[in-house]
Amino acid sequence: MAAMDIYEDARTVSRSDLAAWLRQLANQLESDGRLFYGAAGSVSVADTVRCELEIEQESETEVSVEIEFSWTVPAAAPAVDEVQESPSADQQAEATPEA
């Protein structure tokens, strides 16, 4: 399955504004585990994530820093009628003929 962009934003900000935005993201993660991205919505972040930090010298005058977090969304639980239960000890005892 191909990756699907949910949200992307690119803008030029001051270093102070960047720090404030990173703090805001950190506060959201810490408080309820969701990242909000304006009117577009929010995304739930798993309890355990893979983190990548890449610092790259693009040219003599340009440096880039990329921070990436990724996680696996758990599969939906099967519906109750799809779950095959093993018989309980009482049901097994009832099914066993007495000697």
Side-chain angles (χ1 to χ4, degrees):
M1 183 167 102
M4 178 179 68
D5 286 347
I6 294 175
Y7 179 78
E8 186 172 320
D9 184 17
R11 63 180 101 170
T12 301
V13 298
S14 68
R15 184 174 57 229
S16 176
D17 287 344
L18 174 61
W21 178 65
L22 291 171
R23 274 192 285 285
Q24 179 185 12
L25 291 176
N27 289 338
Q28 290 173 6
L29 283 170
E30 198 168 52
S31 67
D32 67 2
R34 297 187 68 80
L35 291 179
F36 295 89
Y37 44 92
S42 68
V43 63
S44 293
V45 178
D47 292 336
T48 304
V49 299
R50 175 172 165 70
C51 304
E52 294 180 34
L53 173 65
E54 182 179 322
I55 302 172
E56 191 173 351
Q57 182 84 39
E58 301 282 346
S59 68
E60 285 187 29
T61 59
E62 185 177 357
V63 176
S64 70
V65 176
E66 295 180 20
I67 301 170
E68 183 176 319
F69 307 112
S70 59
W71 59 92
T72 302
V73 176
V80 174
D81 59 345
E82 294 176 8
V83 176
Q84 295 181 358
E85 294 182 20
S86 58
S88 68
D90 291 337
Q91 291 171 327
Q92 289 177 348
E94 291 174 10
T96 306
E98 293 189 24

